[in-house]
Amino acid sequence: RSHPSSIVSASVLNVYASSWGRDTAALFYRMLSDKMKKTSYGKNVLEFITLNKDVRVGDRYVDFTQPDTSGKNISVSDFKGKLLLLEFWGTWCGPCRQGNPELVKIYHEFKDKGFEILGVAADDQKAYWKAAIRQDSLPWTNVCDLKGTRNRAVIMYGINKYPSSFLIDANGIIIAQDLRGDDDGAAFRVDGHLDRGRRAGGESIVAAVARGHVIGAGRKVVQRVAVGAAAQRGIGHIAGRSAGAGINRPADFALADD
């Protein structure tokens, strides 16, 4: 605010834009000088403000399309009717790679019951991306636009840490966030079942994800998600919160000195 012409100010805003959120980033972007807005930092912030959808639990998913390893375009909407874990990861991300074996187990356990995973890689080298998928034996669909952490889906969903995830129900509603693990690289675990049956009134539902747990090192539970019948009508319920997952948005931000 006090130093709108400082390159440091533009740099700091670029770093923290996704943590603070679209509205706060837009507020401080407007304070930057025209010169700073034309820098790579300023352009990155503008891209974030333009693309970010401020996605939250209870919202409908935001669709996007990116190529898989074979070049085929894949969209989130292709998984309509499934319980979908939208998984943001990177080949360079230690916790992501460490947690993959457990995630593979979960996938095989529930894939025949309506559960799917769509991986979105924040990578810029196709060879490394494909090699990591082979090494970790990831059986689900993975997409990447090879723009690294500037991946358009990453910006749209406001990803600022890895791994990050969104659990989307069969109706397209986001019912949970960041179920994959904590800073120790803990694995995502689903403890529940999927029911593809119908209610008496004929309403098709996924009856319940009875419990979703994030199990940390030493079996420490850091998040618990409960999804009831109301969630299947488009209302997500969260019980508990992942430790350290939230980042406070500043009430004020003094732009750095020149």
Side-chain angles (χ1 to χ4, degrees), residues 115-150:
F115 178 65
E116 274 294 343
I117 299 175
L118 175 60
V120 182
D123 281 272
D124 57 10
Q125 298 292 325
K126 189 172 185 178
Y128 292 154
W129 172 45
K130 293 178 69 174
I133 292 173
R134 288 195 302 270
Q135 291 166 6
D136 293 1
S137 300
L138 305 183
W140 52 81
T141 302
N142 262 281
V143 298
C144 183
D145 64 7
L146 299 178
K147 294 182 179 180
T149 55
R150 302 306 299 176

Side-chain angles (χ1 to χ4, degrees), residues 198-209:
R198 292 180 176 273
R199 289 182 177 274
E203 178 186 9
S204 180
I205 63 168
V206 176
V209 178

Side-chain angles (χ1 to χ4, degrees), residues 96-241:
C96 302
R97 304 294 297 277
Q98 292 167 15
N100 275 340
E102 181 68 17
L103 195 59
V104 169
K105 292 179 184 178
I106 298 302
Y107 178 77
H108 285 304
E109 182 178 357
F110 292 102
K111 67 183 180 69
D112 293 330
K113 301 176 182 178
F115 178 65
E116 274 294 343
I117 299 175
L118 175 60
V120 182
D123 281 272
D124 57 10
Q125 298 292 325
K126 189 172 185 178
Y128 292 154
W129 172 45
K130 293 178 69 174
I133 292 173
R134 288 195 302 270
Q135 291 166 6
D136 293 1
S137 300
L138 305 183
W140 52 81
T141 302
N142 262 281
V143 298
C144 183
D145 64 7
L146 299 178
K147 294 182 179 180
T149 55
R150 302 306 299 176
N151 183 299
R152 287 177 67 89
V154 165
I155 298 173
M156 290 169 68
Y157 277 80
I159 304 302
N160 54 55
K161 59 185 177 63
Y162 297 85
S164 286
S165 59
F166 294 84
L167 188 63
I168 304 170
D169 74 7
N171 297 314
I173 303 301
I174 297 171
I175 58 177
Q177 183 175 353
D178 292 337
L179 299 178
R180 173 76 135 77
D182 58 15
D183 293 337
D184 297 322
F188 167 63
R189 177 187 174 198
V190 172
D191 180 11
H193 68 280
L194 300 176
D195 180 356
R196 306 293 296 177
R198 292 180 176 273
R199 289 182 177 274
E203 178 186 9
S204 180
I205 63 168
V206 176
V209 178
R211 285 175 297 278
H213 299 287
V214 175
I215 309 299
R219 300 179 64 81
K220 181 182 73 171
V221 178
V222 295
Q223 186 177 44
R224 182 169 296 162
V225 176
V227 181
Q232 312 315 319
R233 297 193 298 271
I235 303 173
H237 297 277
I238 288 187
R241 182 175 181 179

